[in-house]
Coordinates of all heavy atoms in Angstrom, one line a residue:
M1 N 1.1 -18.7 -0.2 CA 1.4 -17.3 0.0 C 0.2 -16.6 0.7 O -0.9 -16.8 0.3 CB 1.6 -16.7 -1.4 CG 2.0 -15.2 -1.4 SD 2.3 -14.5 -3.0 CE 3.5 -15.6 -3.7
T2 N 0.5 -15.8 1.6 CA -0.6 -15.1 2.3 C -1.1 -14.0 1.5 O -0.5 -13.5 0.5 CB 0.0 -14.5 3.7 OG1 0.9 -13.4 3.3 CG2 0.7 -15.5 4.5
K3 N -2.3 -13.5 1.9 CA -2.9 -12.4 1.1 C -2.1 -11.2 1.2 O -2.0 -10.4 0.3 CB -4.3 -12.2 1.6 CG -5.3 -13.3 1.3 CD -6.7 -13.0 1.7 CE -7.6 -14.2 1.3 NZ -9.0 -13.9 1.7
T4 N -1.5 -11.0 2.4 CA -0.6 -9.8 2.6 C 0.6 -9.9 1.6 O 0.9 -8.9 1.0 CB -0.1 -9.8 4.0 OG1 -1.2 -9.8 4.9 CG2 0.8 -8.5 4.3
Q5 N 1.2 -11.0 1.5 CA 2.3 -11.2 0.6 C 1.9 -11.0 -0.9 O 2.7 -10.4 -1.7 CB 3.0 -12.5 0.8 CG 4.4 -12.6 0.1 CD 5.3 -11.5 0.7 OE1 5.5 -11.4 1.9 NE2 5.9 -10.8 -0.2
R6 N 0.7 -11.5 -1.2 CA 0.2 -11.3 -2.6 C 0.1 -9.8 -2.9 O 0.4 -9.3 -4.0 CB -1.1 -12.0 -2.8 CG -0.9 -13.5 -3.0 CD -2.2 -14.3 -3.1 NE -3.3 -13.7 -3.8 CZ -4.6 -14.0 -3.5 NH1 -4.9 -14.9 -2.6 NH2 -5.6 -13.5 -4.2
L7 N -0.4 -9.0 -1.9 CA -0.6 -7.6 -2.1 C 0.8 -6.9 -2.3 O 1.0 -6.2 -3.2 CB -1.2 -6.9 -0.9 CG -2.7 -7.0 -0.8 CD1 -3.2 -6.5 0.6 CD2 -3.4 -6.3 -1.9
I8 N 1.7 -7.3 -1.4 CA 3.1 -6.7 -1.5 C 3.7 -7.0 -2.8 O 4.3 -6.2 -3.5 CB 3.9 -7.2 -0.3 CG1 3.4 -6.5 1.0 CG2 5.4 -6.9 -0.5 CD1 4.0 -7.0 2.2
N9 N 3.6 -8.3 -3.2 CA 4.3 -8.7 -4.5 C 3.7 -8.0 -5.7 O 4.4 -7.5 -6.6 CB 4.1 -10.2 -4.7 CG 5.0 -11.0 -3.8 OD1 5.9 -10.5 -3.1 ND2 4.7 -12.3 -3.8
R10 N 2.4 -7.8 -5.7 CA 1.7 -7.1 -6.9 C 2.1 -5.6 -6.9 O 2.3 -5.0 -7.9 CB 0.2 -7.3 -6.8 CG -0.5 -6.7 -8.0 CD 0.0 -7.4 -9.3 NE -0.7 -6.8 -10.4 CZ -0.2 -6.6 -11.6 NH1 1.0 -7.0 -11.9 NH2 -0.9 -6.1 -12.6
I11 N 2.2 -5.0 -5.7 CA 2.6 -3.6 -5.6 C 4.0 -3.5 -6.2 O 4.3 -2.5 -6.9 CB 2.5 -3.1 -4.2 CG1 1.0 -2.9 -3.8 CG2 3.1 -1.7 -4.1 CD1 0.7 -2.7 -2.3
N12 N 4.9 -4.4 -5.8 CA 6.2 -4.3 -6.3 C 6.3 -4.6 -7.8 O 7.2 -4.0 -8.5 CB 7.1 -5.4 -5.6 CG 7.6 -4.9 -4.3 OD1 7.8 -3.7 -4.0 ND2 7.7 -5.8 -3.3
E13 N 5.4 -5.4 -8.4 CA 5.4 -5.7 -9.8 C 4.9 -4.7 -10.7 O 5.3 -4.5 -11.8 CB 4.6 -7.0 -10.0 CG 5.3 -8.2 -9.4 CD 4.3 -9.4 -9.4 OE1 3.1 -9.3 -9.8 OE2 4.8 -10.5 -9.1
K14 N 3.8 -4.0 -10.2 CA 3.1 -3.0 -11.1 C 3.7 -1.6 -10.8 O 3.5 -1.0 -9.8 CB 1.6 -3.1 -10.8 CG 0.8 -2.2 -11.7 CD -0.5 -2.7 -12.0 CE -1.4 -1.8 -12.8 NZ -0.9 -1.6 -14.1
E15 N 4.3 -1.0 -11.9 CA 4.9 0.3 -11.7 C 4.0 1.4 -11.1 O 4.5 2.1 -10.3 CB 5.5 0.7 -13.1 CG 6.3 2.0 -13.0 CD 6.9 2.4 -14.3 OE1 6.7 1.7 -15.4 OE2 7.7 3.3 -14.3
S16 N 2.8 1.5 -11.6 CA 1.9 2.5 -11.1 C 1.6 2.4 -9.6 O 1.6 3.3 -8.9 CB 0.6 2.6 -11.9 OG -0.1 1.4 -11.8
F17 N 1.4 1.1 -9.1 CA 1.2 0.9 -7.7 C 2.5 1.2 -6.9 O 2.5 1.8 -5.9 CB 0.8 -0.6 -7.4 CG -0.6 -0.9 -7.9 CD1 -0.9 -2.2 -8.2 CD2 -1.6 0.0 -8.0 CE1 -2.1 -2.6 -8.6 CE2 -2.9 -0.3 -8.4 CZ -3.1 -1.6 -8.7
Y18 N 3.6 0.8 -7.5 CA 4.9 1.0 -6.8 C 5.2 2.5 -6.7 O 5.7 2.9 -5.6 CB 6.1 0.3 -7.6 CG 7.4 0.4 -6.9 CD1 7.8 -0.6 -6.0 CD2 8.3 1.4 -7.2 CE1 9.0 -0.5 -5.4 CE2 9.5 1.5 -6.6 CZ 9.9 0.6 -5.7 OH 11.1 0.7 -5.1
D19 N 5.0 3.2 -7.7 CA 5.2 4.7 -7.7 C 4.4 5.4 -6.6 O 4.9 6.2 -5.9 CB 4.9 5.3 -9.0 CG 5.9 4.9 -10.1 OD1 7.0 4.4 -9.8 OD2 5.6 5.2 -11.3
V20 N 3.1 4.9 -6.4 CA 2.3 5.5 -5.4 C 2.8 5.0 -4.0 O 2.9 5.8 -3.1 CB 0.8 5.1 -5.6 CG1 -0.1 5.6 -4.4 CG2 0.3 5.8 -6.9
A21 N 3.1 3.8 -3.9 CA 3.6 3.2 -2.6 C 4.8 3.9 -2.1 O 5.0 4.2 -0.9 CB 3.9 1.7 -2.8
Y22 N 5.7 4.3 -3.1 CA 6.9 5.0 -2.7 C 6.7 6.3 -1.9 O 7.6 6.6 -1.1 CB 7.7 5.3 -4.0 CG 9.1 5.7 -3.7 CD1 10.1 4.8 -3.4 CD2 9.4 7.1 -3.8 CE1 11.4 5.2 -3.2 CE2 10.7 7.5 -3.5 CZ 11.7 6.6 -3.2 OH 13.0 7.0 -3.0
V23 N 5.6 7.0 -2.1 CA 5.4 8.2 -1.4 C 4.3 8.1 -0.3 O 4.0 9.1 0.3 CB 5.0 9.4 -2.4 CG1 6.1 9.6 -3.4 CG2 3.7 9.1 -3.1
C24 N 3.8 6.9 -0.1 CA 2.8 6.7 1.0 C 3.5 6.3 2.3 O 4.4 5.5 2.3 CB 1.8 5.7 0.5 SG 0.7 6.2 -0.8
E25 N 3.0 6.9 3.4 CA 3.5 6.7 4.7 C 3.0 5.4 5.3 O 3.7 4.8 6.2 CB 3.2 7.8 5.6 CG 3.8 9.2 5.2 CD 2.9 10.0 4.3 OE1 1.8 9.5 3.8 OE2 3.2 11.1 4.0
D26 N 1.9 4.9 4.9 CA 1.3 3.7 5.4 C 0.3 3.1 4.5 O 0.0 3.7 3.4 CB 0.7 3.9 6.8 CG -0.4 5.1 6.8 OD1 -0.9 5.4 5.8 OD2 -0.6 5.6 7.9
F27 N -0.2 2.0 4.8 CA -1.2 1.3 3.9 C -2.5 2.1 3.8 O -3.0 2.1 2.7 CB -1.5 -0.1 4.5 CG -2.4 -1.0 3.7 CD1 -2.2 -1.1 2.3 CD2 -3.4 -1.7 4.2 CE1 -3.0 -1.9 1.5 CE2 -4.2 -2.5 3.5 CZ -4.0 -2.6 2.1
E28 N -3.0 2.7 4.8 CA -4.2 3.5 4.7 C -4.0 4.6 3.7 O -4.9 4.9 2.9 CB -4.6 4.1 6.1 CG -5.9 4.8 6.0 CD -6.3 5.4 7.4 OE1 -5.5 5.2 8.4 OE2 -7.3 6.0 7.4
T29 N -2.9 5.3 3.7 CA -2.7 6.4 2.7 C -2.7 5.8 1.3 O -3.2 6.4 0.4 CB -1.3 7.1 3.0 OG1 -1.3 7.5 4.4 CG2 -1.1 8.2 2.1
F30 N -2.1 4.6 1.1 CA -2.1 4.0 -0.2 C -3.5 3.7 -0.6 O -3.9 3.9 -1.8 CB -1.2 2.7 -0.1 CG -1.2 2.0 -1.4 CD1 -0.3 2.3 -2.5 CD2 -1.9 0.8 -1.6 CE1 -0.2 1.6 -3.7 CE2 -1.9 0.1 -2.8 CZ -1.0 0.5 -3.8
E31 N -4.3 3.1 0.3 CA -5.7 2.8 0.0 C -6.4 4.0 -0.5 O -7.2 4.0 -1.5 CB -6.4 2.2 1.2 CG -5.9 0.9 1.6 CD -6.7 0.4 2.9 OE1 -6.2 0.7 4.0 OE2 -7.7 -0.2 2.7
I32 N -6.2 5.1 0.2 CA -6.9 6.4 -0.2 C -6.5 6.8 -1.6 O -7.3 7.2 -2.4 CB -6.6 7.5 0.9 CG1 -7.3 7.1 2.2 CG2 -7.1 8.8 0.4 CD1 -6.8 7.9 3.4
E33 N -5.2 6.8 -1.8 CA -4.7 7.2 -3.1 C -5.2 6.4 -4.3 O -5.6 7.0 -5.3 CB -3.1 7.3 -3.1 CG -2.5 8.3 -2.2 CD -2.9 9.7 -2.6 OE1 -2.9 10.0 -3.8 OE2 -3.1 10.5 -1.7
V34 N -5.1 5.1 -4.2 CA -5.5 4.3 -5.3 C -7.0 4.2 -5.4 O -7.6 3.9 -6.5 CB -4.9 2.9 -5.3 CG1 -3.3 3.0 -5.4 CG2 -5.3 2.0 -4.1
A35 N -7.8 4.5 -4.4 CA -9.2 4.6 -4.4 C -9.7 5.6 -5.4 O -10.7 5.5 -6.1 CB -9.8 4.8 -3.1
E36 N -8.8 6.7 -5.6 CA -9.1 7.7 -6.6 C -9.2 7.1 -8.0 O -9.8 7.7 -8.9 CB -8.1 8.8 -6.5 CG -8.2 9.6 -5.3 CD -7.2 10.7 -5.1 OE1 -6.5 11.0 -6.1 OE2 -7.0 11.2 -4.0
W37 N -8.5 6.0 -8.2 CA -8.5 5.3 -9.5 C -9.7 4.2 -9.6 O -9.8 3.5 -10.6 CB -7.2 4.6 -9.8 CG -6.0 5.4 -9.7 CD1 -5.9 6.7 -9.9 CD2 -4.7 4.9 -9.6 NE1 -4.6 7.1 -9.8 CE2 -3.8 6.0 -9.6 CE3 -4.1 3.6 -9.4 CZ2 -2.4 5.9 -9.4 CZ3 -2.7 3.5 -9.3 CH2 -1.9 4.6 -9.3
G38 N -10.4 4.1 -8.5 CA -11.4 3.1 -8.4 C -10.9 1.7 -8.0 O -11.6 0.7 -8.1
V39 N -9.7 1.7 -7.4 CA -9.1 0.4 -7.0 C -9.4 0.2 -5.5 O -9.1 1.0 -4.6 CB -7.6 0.5 -7.2 CG1 -6.9 -0.8 -6.7 CG2 -7.2 0.6 -8.7
D40 N -10.0 -1.0 -5.2 CA -10.2 -1.3 -3.8 C -9.7 -2.7 -3.5 O -9.9 -3.3 -2.4 CB -11.6 -1.2 -3.4 CG -12.6 -2.0 -4.2 OD1 -12.1 -2.9 -5.0 OD2 -13.8 -1.9 -4.0
S41 N -9.0 -3.3 -4.4 CA -8.3 -4.6 -4.2 C -7.2 -4.7 -5.2 O -7.2 -4.1 -6.3 CB -9.3 -5.7 -4.5 OG -9.8 -5.8 -5.8
I42 N -6.3 -5.6 -4.9 CA -5.1 -5.9 -5.7 C -4.9 -7.4 -5.6 O -4.9 -8.0 -4.5 CB -3.8 -5.1 -5.3 CG1 -4.0 -3.6 -5.5 CG2 -2.6 -5.6 -6.0 CD1 -2.9 -2.8 -5.0
A43 N -4.6 -8.0 -6.8 CA -4.3 -9.5 -6.8 C -5.5 -10.3 -6.2 O -5.2 -11.2 -5.5 CB -3.0 -9.8 -6.1
K44 N -6.7 -9.8 -6.4 CA -7.9 -10.4 -5.9 C -8.0 -10.4 -4.4 O -8.6 -11.3 -3.8 CB -8.1 -11.8 -6.5 CG -8.2 -11.8 -8.0 CD -8.5 -13.1 -8.6 CE -8.5 -13.0 -10.1 NZ -8.8 -14.3 -10.7
V45 N -7.3 -9.5 -3.8 CA -7.4 -9.3 -2.3 C -8.0 -8.0 -2.0 O -7.4 -6.9 -2.4 CB -5.9 -9.5 -1.7 CG1 -6.0 -9.3 -0.2 CG2 -5.3 -10.8 -2.0
D46 N -9.1 -8.0 -1.3 CA -9.7 -6.7 -0.9 C -8.9 -6.1 0.2 O -8.4 -6.8 1.0 CB -11.1 -6.9 -0.4 CG -12.1 -7.4 -1.5 OD1 -11.9 -7.0 -2.6 OD2 -13.1 -8.0 -1.1
F47 N -8.8 -4.8 0.1 CA -7.9 -4.1 1.1 C -8.5 -4.3 2.5 O -7.7 -4.3 3.5 CB -7.9 -2.6 0.8 CG -7.1 -2.2 -0.5 CD1 -7.5 -1.1 -1.2 CD2 -6.1 -3.0 -0.9 CE1 -6.8 -0.8 -2.4 CE2 -5.4 -2.7 -2.1 CZ -5.7 -1.6 -2.8
D48 N -9.8 -4.4 2.7 CA -10.4 -4.6 4.0 C -10.5 -6.0 4.4 O -11.2 -6.3 5.4 CB -11.7 -3.8 4.1 CG -12.8 -4.4 3.1 OD1 -12.4 -5.3 2.3 OD2 -13.9 -3.9 3.2
D49 N -9.9 -6.9 3.7 CA -9.9 -8.4 4.1 C -9.3 -8.5 5.4 O -8.2 -8.1 5.7 CB -9.1 -9.2 3.0 CG -9.3 -10.7 3.2 OD1 -9.0 -11.2 4.3 OD2 -9.7 -11.3 2.2
P50 N -10.0 -9.2 6.4 CA -9.4 -9.4 7.7 C -8.1 -10.2 7.8 O -7.4 -10.1 8.7 CB -10.5 -10.1 8.5 CG -11.5 -10.6 7.5 CD -11.3 -9.8 6.2
E51 N -7.8 -10.9 6.7 CA -6.6 -11.7 6.7 C -5.4 -10.9 6.3 O -4.2 -11.4 6.4 CB -6.7 -12.9 5.7 CG -7.7 -14.0 6.2 CD -7.8 -15.1 5.2 OE1 -6.8 -15.5 4.7 OE2 -8.9 -15.6 5.0
V52 N -5.6 -9.6 5.8 CA -4.5 -8.8 5.5 C -3.8 -8.2 6.8 O -4.5 -7.7 7.6 CB -4.9 -7.6 4.6 CG1 -3.8 -6.6 4.4 CG2 -5.4 -8.1 3.2
D53 N -2.6 -8.5 6.9 CA -1.8 -8.0 8.1 C -1.4 -6.6 7.9 O -0.5 -6.2 7.2 CB -0.6 -8.9 8.3 CG 0.2 -8.5 9.5 OD1 0.1 -7.4 10.0 OD2 1.0 -9.4 10.0
R54 N -2.2 -5.7 8.5 CA -2.0 -4.2 8.3 C -0.7 -3.8 8.9 O -0.1 -2.9 8.3 CB -3.2 -3.5 8.9 CG -4.5 -3.8 8.2 CD -5.7 -3.0 8.6 NE -5.6 -1.6 8.0 CZ -6.0 -1.3 6.7 NH1 -6.4 -2.2 5.9 NH2 -5.9 -0.1 6.3
D55 N -0.3 -4.4 10.0 CA 1.0 -4.0 10.5 C 2.2 -4.3 9.5 O 3.1 -3.5 9.3 CB 1.3 -4.7 11.9 CG 0.4 -4.1 13.0 OD1 0.0 -3.0 12.9 OD2 0.2 -4.9 14.0
M56 N 2.1 -5.5 8.9 CA 3.1 -5.9 7.9 C 3.0 -5.0 6.7 O 4.0 -4.6 6.2 CB 2.8 -7.3 7.5 CG 3.9 -7.9 6.6 SD 3.5 -9.6 6.1 CE 5.1 -10.3 6.2
M57 N 1.8 -4.6 6.3 CA 1.7 -3.7 5.2 C 2.3 -2.3 5.5 O 3.0 -1.7 4.7 CB 0.2 -3.5 4.8 CG -0.4 -4.7 4.2 SD 0.4 -5.3 2.7 CE 0.1 -4.0 1.6
D58 N 2.0 -1.8 6.8 CA 2.6 -0.5 7.2 C 4.1 -0.6 7.2 O 4.8 0.3 6.8 CB 2.1 -0.1 8.5 CG 0.7 0.4 8.5 OD1 0.2 0.7 7.4 OD2 0.0 0.5 9.6
T59 N 4.7 -1.7 7.6 CA 6.1 -1.9 7.6 C 6.7 -1.9 6.2 O 7.7 -1.3 5.9 CB 6.5 -3.3 8.3 OG1 6.0 -3.2 9.7 CG2 8.0 -3.5 8.3
F60 N 5.9 -2.5 5.3 CA 6.3 -2.5 3.9 C 6.4 -1.1 3.3 O 7.4 -0.7 2.7 CB 5.3 -3.3 3.0 CG 5.4 -3.1 1.6 CD1 6.6 -3.6 0.9 CD2 4.4 -2.5 0.9 CE1 6.7 -3.4 -0.5 CE2 4.5 -2.3 -0.5 CZ 5.6 -2.8 -1.2
F61 N 5.4 -0.3 3.6 CA 5.4 1.1 3.1 C 6.5 1.9 3.8 O 7.1 2.8 3.2 CB 4.0 1.7 3.3 CG 3.0 1.2 2.3 CD1 2.1 0.2 2.6 CD2 3.0 1.8 1.0 CE1 1.2 -0.3 1.7 CE2 2.1 1.3 0.1 CZ 1.2 0.3 0.4
A62 N 6.7 1.7 5.1 CA 7.8 2.4 5.8 C 9.2 2.1 5.2 O 10.1 2.9 5.3 CB 7.8 2.0 7.3
S63 N 9.3 0.9 4.5 CA 10.6 0.5 4.0 C 11.0 1.5 2.8 O 12.2 1.5 2.5 CB 10.6 -0.9 3.4 OG 9.8 -1.0 2.3
F64 N 10.1 2.3 2.3 CA 10.4 3.2 1.3 C 11.0 4.5 1.9 O 11.5 5.4 1.1 CB 9.2 3.6 0.4 CG 8.7 2.4 -0.4 CD1 7.5 1.8 -0.1 CD2 9.4 2.0 -1.5 CE1 7.1 0.7 -0.8 CE2 8.9 0.9 -2.3 CZ 7.8 0.3 -1.9
G65 N 10.9 4.7 3.2 CA 11.5 5.8 3.8 C 10.5 6.8 4.4 O 10.9 7.7 5.2
C66 N 9.2 6.8 4.0 CA 8.2 7.7 4.5 C 7.4 7.0 5.6 O 6.9 5.9 5.3 CB 7.3 8.2 3.4 SG 8.2 9.2 2.2
T67 N 7.2 7.7 6.7 CA 6.3 7.1 7.8 C 5.5 8.3 8.3 O 5.8 9.4 8.0 CB 7.2 6.6 8.9 OG1 8.0 7.6 9.5 CG2 8.1 5.4 8.4
P68 N 4.5 8.0 9.1 CA 3.7 9.1 9.7 C 4.6 10.1 10.5 O 4.3 11.3 10.5 CB 2.7 8.4 10.6 CG 2.5 7.1 9.9 CD 3.8 6.7 9.4
S69 N 5.6 9.6 11.1 CA 6.5 10.5 11.9 C 7.6 11.1 11.0 O 8.3 12.1 11.4 CB 7.2 9.7 13.0 OG 8.0 8.7 12.5
N70 N 7.8 10.6 9.8 CA 8.7 11.1 8.8 C 8.0 11.2 7.4 O 8.4 10.4 6.5 CB 10.0 10.3 8.7 CG 11.0 10.8 7.7 OD1 11.2 12.1 7.6 ND2 11.7 10.0 7.0
P71 N 7.0 12.0 7.3 CA 6.2 12.0 6.1 C 6.8 12.5 4.8 O 7.8 13.3 4.9 CB 5.0 12.9 6.5 CG 5.6 13.8 7.5 CD 6.6 13.1 8.3
H72 N 6.3 12.1 3.7 CA 6.6 12.7 2.5 C 6.1 14.1 2.5 O 5.1 14.4 3.0 CB 5.9 11.9 1.3 CG 6.4 12.3 0.0 ND1 5.8 13.4 -0.7 CD2 7.3 11.8 -0.9 CE1 6.3 13.5 -1.9 NE2 7.3 12.6 -2.0
P73 N 6.9 15.1 1.9 CA 6.5 16.5 1.9 C 5.1 16.7 1.4 O 4.4 17.7 1.8 CB 7.6 17.2 1.1 CG 8.7 16.3 1.1 CD 8.2 14.9 1.2
A74 N 4.6 15.9 0.4 CA 3.3 16.1 -0.1 C 2.3 15.1 0.5 O 1.2 15.1 0.1 CB 3.3 15.9 -1.6
G75 N 2.7 14.4 1.5 CA 1.9 13.4 2.1 C 0.8 13.9 3.0 O 0.8 15.1 3.4
R76 N -0.1 13.1 3.4 CA -1.2 13.5 4.3 C -0.8 13.8 5.7 O -1.5 14.5 6.5 CB -2.4 12.5 4.2 CG -2.1 11.3 5.0 CD -3.2 10.3 4.8 NE -3.2 9.4 6.0 CZ -4.2 8.8 6.5 NH1 -5.4 9.0 6.0 NH2 -4.1 8.1 7.6
Y77 N 0.4 13.3 6.1 CA 0.9 13.6 7.5 C 1.8 14.8 7.5 O 2.2 15.2 8.6 CB 1.7 12.4 8.0 CG 0.8 11.2 8.2 CD1 0.8 10.1 7.3 CD2 0.0 11.1 9.4 CE1 0.0 9.0 7.5 CE2 -0.8 9.9 9.6 CZ -0.8 8.9 8.6 OH -1.6 7.8 8.8
A78 N 2.1 15.4 6.4 CA 3.1 16.6 6.4 C 2.4 17.8 6.9 O 1.2 18.0 6.9 CB 3.5 16.8 4.9

């Protein structure tokens, strides 16, 4: 399993991560939000790990319906 898939799986499994992911337009927004909790890694994968496919992560976050071009009303792109 890739590091990217490990991140996605854990976000889907943990309700608090999933709830935040649902309103984030992209991976960077998610990183900023969970950093407020002191979180900079999930499933032993650092967010800035070069093996993390950021495009794949952004696609994952877009699957919830919010994107930079269609932001959540309370999102940073709104």
